Amino acid sequence: MRTVIVTDVPRPAAASLDALRGFGVATVHEAQGRTGYLGPDLVARVPGACIAGAVVTAVCWPGDNLMIHAAVEQCAPGDVLLVTTTSPCRDGLFGELLATSLRSRGVRGAVLTTGVRDVAELRELPFPVWSAAVSAQGTVKATAGAVNVPIAVGGVLVHPGDALVADDDGVVVVPRAEVDAVVEASRARETAEDATRAALAAGELGLDRYRLRPLLERLGVEYVKHGV
């Protein structure tokens, strides 16, 4: 790994990020062909939070949060910090003090493949955080890593400046070049879901709305009366 801090990363338009936030993780994930989801390990530590922002990445060594401190300087209003480590780590690399620093810079949240601590304080601030663990285990600041380089999380390649959406359903990333197209696809999906929601509320069955009865028949599913 090259130990670098990359500056001046291009970011999506603020209006596009705000639109993605309004759609939420599940809709965005479906709208871009069920891609970009970073996996079920990343859990919201501040329930109810919903954010969208431009990604700033940080690569740290296990048990060492030096590069998170370096990444803070590269964060701008509307960003989201995405942190991973060179090998698996569940230590608490992030807590209240780093959250306070990021919050002062207008950062919308943080996502870590590691652990976090000071969860009560994060909720009180509030500062939205998603992580793979909660751990009181502290860290050192001793080893060089990288900031704003491409990273892989949950099998997804994430580039600095991509859009990230996070809520109680998890975390999804949209490549920067595809943001506007995904916004339009999400808008179309939301419109279709509104119509379906109204139909289901009026009593229509999903079997009929989604035309699933022929599928059941093709699969050989039979309706039989009880006791027959």
Side-chain angles (χ1 to χ4, degrees):
M1 178 183 63
R2 187 180 175 195
T3 52
V4 295
I5 297 174
V6 179
T7 66
D8 304 309
V9 171
R11 291 160 166 84
S16 297
L17 294 172
D18 290 342
L20 290 174
R21 177 187 180 278
F23 298 127
V25 169
T27 294
V28 170
H29 173 57
E30 294 284 352
Q32 65 174 349
R34 297 185 179 178
T35 61
Y37 175 53
L38 301 191
D41 290 341
L42 300 177
V43 177
R45 303 304 171 182
V46 181
C50 179
I51 64 170
V55 172
V56 171
T57 66
V59 182
C60 298
W61 284 76
D64 190 317
N65 71 355
L66 173 63
M67 300 315 292
I68 297 181
H69 288 272
V72 171
E73 184 181 25
Q74 302 307 315
C75 290
D79 285 348
V80 177
L81 180 61
L82 177 60
V83 179
T84 191
T85 47
T86 56
S87 60
C89 172
R90 291 295 185 266
D91 295 347
L93 267 66
F94 186 93
E96 176 199 3
L97 296 180
L98 278 166
T100 299
S101 182
L102 288 172
R103 196 166 183 257
S104 75
R105 300 181 70 84
V107 175
R108 292 177 173 175
V111 178
L112 301 96
T113 65
T114 67
V116 299
R117 60 184 188 175
D118 304 331
V119 172
E121 289 82 358
L122 293 175
R123 292 173 179 171
E124 185 177 353
L125 278 172
F127 186 80
V129 173
W130 287 255
S131 73
V134 172
S135 174
Q137 178 65 51
T139 61
V140 299
K141 299 166 181 59
T143 312
V147 173
N148 276 337
V149 298
I151 62 175
V153 177
V156 177
L157 182 62
V158 184
H159 290 83
D162 285 348
L164 183 151
V165 187
D167 60 22
D168 284 337
D169 288 338
V171 182
V172 67
V173 169
V174 181
R176 184 169 61 90
E178 300 174 16
V179 165
D180 290 341
V182 173
V183 167
E184 291 306 313
S186 297
R187 186 172 289 120
R189 183 174 180 83
E190 191 174 67
T191 298
E193 286 186 346
D194 287 344
T196 297
R197 186 177 298 106
L200 295 176
E204 185 175 0
L205 294 174
L207 281 174
D208 298 314
R209 183 73 183 178
Y210 299 120
R211 298 178 177 86
L212 297 176
R213 293 188 192 277
L215 174 61
L216 290 177
E217 185 176 351
R218 288 196 303 273
L219 293 174
V221 176
E222 298 181 74
Y223 286 83
V224 297
K225 288 187 177 181
H226 176 69
V228 177

